[in-house]
Amino acid sequence: MTIAEKLMQRRSQPSKVWKVGACTALTLSMFLAGLTGVQANIDDAAEYKPVAPTIDQARANILIARQLQFTHFRNLGISDELSGDVFDAYLKYLDGQRVYLTQEDIDSLKSMKSRLGSALKTGQLQPGFDIYNLVQQRIIQRLQFALGVIDNGLDKLDFSANDEIRVDRSESDWEASQVALDELWIKRIKNAVLSQRLNGTDDEAIEDTLRRRYEGQLKRAYQARSEDAFQAYMNAFTGMWDPHTSYFSPRTSENFNINMSLSLEGIGAVLQSDNEYTKVVRLVPGGPASKQGQLQPADRIVSVAQQGEKPVNVIGWRLDEVVDLIRGPRNSKVTLEVIPANASDETVTRDIAISRDEVKLEEQSASKDVIELDRAGESYKVGVITIPTFYADFQAMQAGDPNYKSTTRDVRRLLDDLKEQGVDGVVMDLRNNGGGALHEANDLVGLFIDKGPTVQIRNANNDVQVLNDEDPTVDYDGPLVVLVNRMSASASEIFAGAIQDYGRGLVVGSQTFGKGTVQAVRPLNHGQLKITQSKFYRVSGGSTQHKGVIPDIEIPSRVDTTRIGEDALDHALPWDQIEAVPHTRYFDFSGVIDELRKRHDDRFEISPEFSLLQQEIEFLTEQRGITYVSLNMDERKAHHDQIEQTRLTIANARRELRGDKPFKSLEDLEEWQTEQAADLDNTDEELDFVIREGGHIMADLLELDQHMASILTPAQFAAKAETR
């Protein structure tokens, strides 16, 4: 009998009694007394077939344990303390919101907590599989309970009481018993129903959506595979060393990084598993999702719908299966239902329609623009170079093509064009640049300095390798500003850090991501291990790891730094420093930085764009700070209407700044956003105010020091180099 048939049979038995236990709260008893639906028999979970480890997995486990202990950058042994941490991390992965297991379950598992470490050393996987199988059985019980609530009718749910539910339960106590979980799940269902009702969905459609969601998850639970348990267990284990060390199953290895870009036709996004959800890690520059503009890092995908078809709920799905569903032929449309990164709770979702396309290298290429600033009658011409990623066409390079594309080659050409146009200074925009080819970051620094080191790389044996720019040619010797934000990572941080250390330019924006580690992928007998083996350090000795690059002049960001960034990840390697290497300091900004910051603050004080940015940040911060939401219909509607009105107000304020007609309603805004997805060539041609501010800071530099334009000549570069 198939899962679907079992579900249909279960719903055709209205006379059965719902088994929930003898002791229950009054409100729950009253609700359960009214149930005329199916039996959510927790014994049905016995139909689940427990998964068991294989010999290949045991061997892979032993190899992983050895590599972690002897080749990882972090010197960490497998101890009793680590055993407890693995236990906690594993449960966090399997039941991160603490909605399946009870305190009774946790107590029954405590005897395993101190034994996992020694078992993992020797390939004894059964304890981890026992935990996995228990969680799968509890998931089945909960989903059966939820389906029973829906079968009984949504009209039986009471939305007049003053109930509320905690938004994030990751730090909550485990519920004491299955009965307590029953109460919690009724609240979860009420929360989901309320959210959809407030979005204008009728109860019939809500019932259909929730039923498909829970039945889909239930089907997945029954279809659990040994490899699912092994990958989850190994990643809880490897994650103790650092968040970038992970195990790839044989199938996941085929899609290393799950990067739907380059030759693959999709939406251009990098995804990863996040408990039951698939989470957006970053967007590929130039890809359909990046162009469309609505999908954001840390959004979690709830469902995927092909054009003209019903959405498929993907909560609980394997990552590779979600990726397969999102990929598709060019020019076809896919709609993702996501929980936005800034949502107040997991029931707040939005639909994002994206037209698939192939991400081409030229779409990720560096580009230039020129802005002119009129300041008290004085005109300044500022060149802007945007670098979405650090790229190189390795195939063309290996084939000997003298015209192969790369970041450094393209930027050199753009700089030549800007110099011909007579710009007074250059702004390098590295915002949202997640990195790329390390050698390109090294070579790019070389366009702005004389010979010298660009980055240090230290391995687990404390051996330090220094990458150098060996070319004495300086392609641009004028004033320089580098723009960064929280999504600037890895190679971007190396470039920005080097420019800052050399005093070659000012770094402006928000603290960068802090990804300062290097990984290698090593084959196993079964799958692969991605392991951290080295760490980046600036020429001044400080690591880019964890701390990232701190801007000289800060501009606040909408990004939630508690969720995005290296310092937001569990077990991230810490910041530290090693000895600096000799390098030139081309300009000392200490004498002018206070005045530069003051002028910047004065401009932003009266800037309507900055005022709007602050309003957005305050709104998002307020939403992120919500810990409970009401389950009372009237209270929830009032809160919902307030949020929607704020969204509309902010959107219209932005349109008015651009001279566009404001939207009459939120529906008009959402309809307009959906229309944008159909146009892959839709881009906002207007340079944003942060770039313009970079230009103003450039002009401030020239005004504060009239010698700035001349102190960075090639002759003086050489003179300064002699003093190193």
Side-chain angles (χ1 to χ4, degrees):
M1 185 181 294
T2 66
I3 299 298
E5 289 171 337
K6 290 178 184 177
L7 293 170
M8 291 299 294
Q9 182 187 67
R10 190 170 57 81
R11 285 203 297 273
S12 67
Q13 301 170 348
S15 61
K16 291 187 178 180
V17 179
W18 194 310
K19 298 180 181 179
V20 295
C23 299
T24 181
L26 178 62
T27 54
L28 182 60
S29 299
M30 293 172 65
F31 174 78
L32 296 177
L35 285 176
T36 58
V38 302
Q39 176 184 13
N41 191 337
I42 64 173
D43 293 335
D44 288 347
E47 298 179 19
Y48 167 74
K49 294 182 180 179
V51 296
T54 67
I55 294 176
D56 282 344
Q57 289 168 349
R59 289 172 178 167
N61 171 205
I62 293 172
L63 291 174
I64 290 169
R66 288 176 182 172
Q67 296 224 31
L68 290 173
Q69 290 180 91
F70 302 119
T71 65
H72 193 282
F73 185 87
R74 173 177 261 159
N75 183 15
L76 184 65
I78 301 178
S79 62
D80 289 345
E81 181 181 357
L82 181 104
S83 179
D85 290 340
V86 172
F87 178 84
D88 292 338
Y90 192 33
L91 290 181
K92 181 177 181 180
Y93 178 85
L94 296 175
D95 188 11
Q97 287 298 306
R98 303 190 172 190
V99 295
Y100 300 121
L101 297 178
T102 66
Q103 187 61 53
E104 293 173 354
D105 293 325
I106 300 302
D107 292 341
S108 72
L109 296 173
K110 278 186 178 177
S111 61
M112 295 186 188
K113 188 168 186 176
S114 61
R115 296 190 288 112
L116 295 185
S118 58
L120 284 164
K121 276 185 181 181
T122 54
Q124 299 176 49
L125 294 170
Q126 195 59 53
F129 275 68
D130 288 342
I131 295 172
Y132 183 87
N133 287 322
L134 174 64
V135 174
Q136 292 304 113
Q137 291 177 39
R138 293 293 183 257
I139 289 173
I140 290 169
Q141 293 170 10
R142 288 295 104 213
L143 294 173
Q144 289 171 337
F145 180 92
L147 285 166
V149 173
I150 295 169
D151 291 338
N152 188 57
L154 301 184
D155 58 323
K156 303 296 193 302
L157 298 172
D158 179 16
F159 295 97
S160 62
N162 292 321
D163 287 341
E164 60 182 10
I165 187 169
R166 191 178 183 89
V167 173
D168 179 9
R169 287 185 44 81
S170 60
E171 301 297 327
S172 298
D173 293 334
W174 299 95
E175 294 294 345
S177 64
Q178 291 289 334
V179 173
L181 273 184
D182 289 347
E183 287 193 79
L184 173 62
W185 271 78
I186 290 172
K187 287 185 176 182
R188 284 168 59 85
I189 294 167
K190 288 170 66 175
N191 191 29
V193 171
L194 262 181
S195 295
Q196 293 189 55
R197 279 183 179 175
L198 291 171
N199 286 330
T201 309
D202 61 52
D203 278 7
E204 183 177 352
I206 294 173
E207 181 178 325
D208 179 64
T209 297
L210 293 180
R211 178 172 285 116
R212 283 189 290 108
R213 175 184 301 180
Y214 295 137
E215 287 181 353
Q217 290 177 253
L218 186 58
K219 180 181 178 181
R220 293 283 157 181
Y222 275 117
Q223 293 177 343
R225 305 177 306 185
S226 174
E227 195 59 38
D228 299 331
F230 183 63
Q231 182 159 308
Y233 192 30
M234 285 304 100
N235 281 326
F237 180 41
T238 60
M240 295 298 101
W241 274 258
D242 86 301
H244 304 291
T245 294
S246 57
Y247 167 74
F248 294 157
S249 69
R251 180 169 181 185
T252 305
S253 299
E254 296 174 6
N255 291 297
F256 177 47
N257 275 348
I258 316 299
N259 192 336
M260 297 180 296
S261 63
L262 303 176
S263 63
L264 299 175
E265 292 179 345
I267 63 172
V270 178
L271 310 175
Q272 73 178 30
S273 294
D274 181 27
N275 295 324
E276 295 179 304
Y277 294 101
T278 298
K279 184 173 73 173
V280 178
V281 179
R282 64 180 177 87
L283 305 180
V284 178
S290 176
K291 287 183 175 182
Q292 199 267 353
Q294 290 181 270
L295 194 67
Q296 297 296 321
D299 285 356
R300 288 171 291 172
I301 300 172
V302 173
S303 70
V304 179
Q306 312 302 330
Q307 192 166 0
E309 298 181 11
K310 284 188 174 183
V312 176
N313 186 273
V314 295
I315 297 175
W317 279 37
R318 302 175 188 97
L319 180 60
D320 53 0
E321 294 174 329
V322 177
V323 171
D324 287 343
L325 199 59
I326 294 175
R327 287 174 180 162
R330 184 179 182 184
N331 295 327
S332 62
K333 187 179 292 185
V334 63
T335 299
L336 306 182
E337 180 189 3
V338 305
I339 302 170
N342 58 5
S344 57
D345 70 87
E346 292 185 350
T347 64
V348 177
T349 65
R350 67 183 302 187
D351 291 337
I352 300 176
I354 303 172
S355 294
R356 300 179 176 103
D357 197 9
E358 183 175 339
V359 182
K360 305 177 184 66
L361 183 61
E362 55 265 29
E363 297 282 1
Q364 304 182 50
S365 298
S367 60
K368 71 173 175 65
D369 213 315
V370 175
I371 56 176
E372 294 195 10
L373 303 175
D374 186 8
R375 295 161 48 106
E378 189 76 23
S379 180
Y380 294 90
K381 186 182 288 187
V382 179
V384 179
I385 295 179
T386 301
I387 305 177
T389 185
F390 285 85
Y391 55 88
D393 190 342
F394 292 107
Q395 290 184 340
M397 186 191 309
Q398 292 170 354
D401 184 349
N403 298 313
Y404 73 87
K405 286 184 65 65
S406 76
T407 301
T408 305
R409 284 171 163 238
D410 289 346
V411 171
R412 180 184 286 116
R413 175 178 51 80
L414 297 175
L415 287 170
D416 289 342
D417 292 345
L418 292 174
K419 286 187 289 187
E420 287 183 8
Q421 292 179 261
V423 297
D424 297 301
V426 170
V427 173
M428 299 284 286
D429 188 1
L430 297 183
R431 291 173 303 163
N432 303 317
N433 183 322
L438 173 61
H439 72 87
E440 286 300 319
N442 175 67
D443 293 347
L444 190 66
V445 174
L447 299 184
F448 302 93
I449 67 167
D450 188 8
K451 283 185 176 182
T454 60
V455 65
Q456 304 184 76
I457 306 171
R458 179 166 71 102
N459 65 21
N461 295 324
N462 289 322
D463 297 325
V464 178
Q465 176 190 7
V466 180
L467 298 190
N468 288 276
D469 165 43
E470 302 291 352
D471 186 353
T473 304
V474 178
D475 290 83
Y476 176 72
D477 59 6
L480 180 67
V481 167
V482 179
L483 297 180
V484 296
N485 64 5
R486 188 65 164 181
M487 299 309 299
S488 304
S490 196
S492 294
E493 296 174 290
I494 290 171
F495 176 81
I499 294 298
Q500 193 177 58
D501 287 343
Y502 274 91
R504 184 57 193 85
L506 283 172
V507 177
V508 175
S510 53
Q511 181 184 13
T512 59
F513 192 94
K515 170 65 165 62
T517 55
V518 185
Q519 285 73 42
V521 178
R522 297 178 179 171
L524 303 166
N525 68 302
H526 183 80
Q528 295 176 307
L529 176 67
K530 179 163 69 83
I531 187 168
T532 297
Q533 62 180 16
S534 306
K535 200 170 179 181
F536 289 130
Y537 294 84
R538 294 163 57 156
V539 295
S540 57
S543 176
T544 56
Q545 169 63 16
H546 207 279
K547 184 184 291 186
V549 177
I550 307 299
D552 300 298
I553 296 176
E554 187 172 355
I555 295 177
S557 169
R558 302 178 185 88
V559 175
D560 182 2
T561 57
T562 66
R563 298 187 63 183
I564 298 177
E566 190 76 8
D567 54 3
L569 301 176
D570 292 335
H571 307 288
L573 291 179
W575 178 90
D576 65 339
Q577 62 183 46
I578 59 177
E579 288 187 15
V581 289
H583 60 282
T584 301
R585 182 76 181 174
Y586 290 110
F587 188 74
D588 183 2
F589 293 101
S590 61
V592 296
I593 192 64
D594 288 341
E595 179 61 23
L596 287 171
R597 288 170 180 157
K598 180 180 182 303
R599 292 190 178 196
H600 160 73
D601 290 341
D602 289 345
R603 274 191 300 274
F604 269 26
E605 187 68 29
I606 60 173
S607 165
E609 293 98 337
F610 182 62
S611 176
L612 179 58
L613 174 62
Q614 286 182 308
Q615 186 179 348
E616 285 184 277
I617 292 173
E618 289 171 2
F619 170 67
L620 293 174
T621 301
E622 181 182 350
Q623 295 308 302
R624 294 164 188 153
I626 294 175
T627 55
Y628 285 88
V629 291
S630 174
L631 298 177
N632 178 283
M633 184 63 181
D634 293 337
E635 290 183 15
R636 187 69 164 269
K637 186 177 186 309
H639 180 65
H640 176 270
D641 291 346
Q642 179 186 1
I643 292 175
E644 299 294 82
Q645 184 57 49
T646 302
R647 280 184 57 200
L648 181 62
T649 299
I650 291 173
N652 280 338
R654 180 174 289 109
R655 287 181 68 80
E656 289 172 5
L657 284 174
R658 298 177 178 180
D660 296 330
K661 186 178 179 181
F663 297 110
K664 292 182 179 179
S665 67
L666 197 65
E667 288 73 21
D668 291 341
L669 166 62
E670 291 175 344
E671 182 179 347
W672 175 82
Q673 289 174 333
T674 301
E675 291 172 355
Q676 304 309 297
D679 184 5
L680 286 175
D681 295 321
N682 174 59
T683 56
D684 183 5
E685 296 295 338
E686 183 181 354
L687 289 168
D688 65 66
F689 82 99
V690 175
I691 289 180
R692 295 201 308 275
E693 178 59 20
H696 280 295
I697 292 171
M698 179 73 63
D700 289 338
L701 275 172
L702 294 170
E703 290 175 0
L704 288 173
D705 191 338
Q706 295 181 357
H707 301 292
M708 182 64 181
S710 64
I711 65 168
L712 297 176
T713 64
Q716 287 173 317
F717 266 48
K720 282 183 173 291
E722 292 176 1
T723 65
R724 283 187 289 175

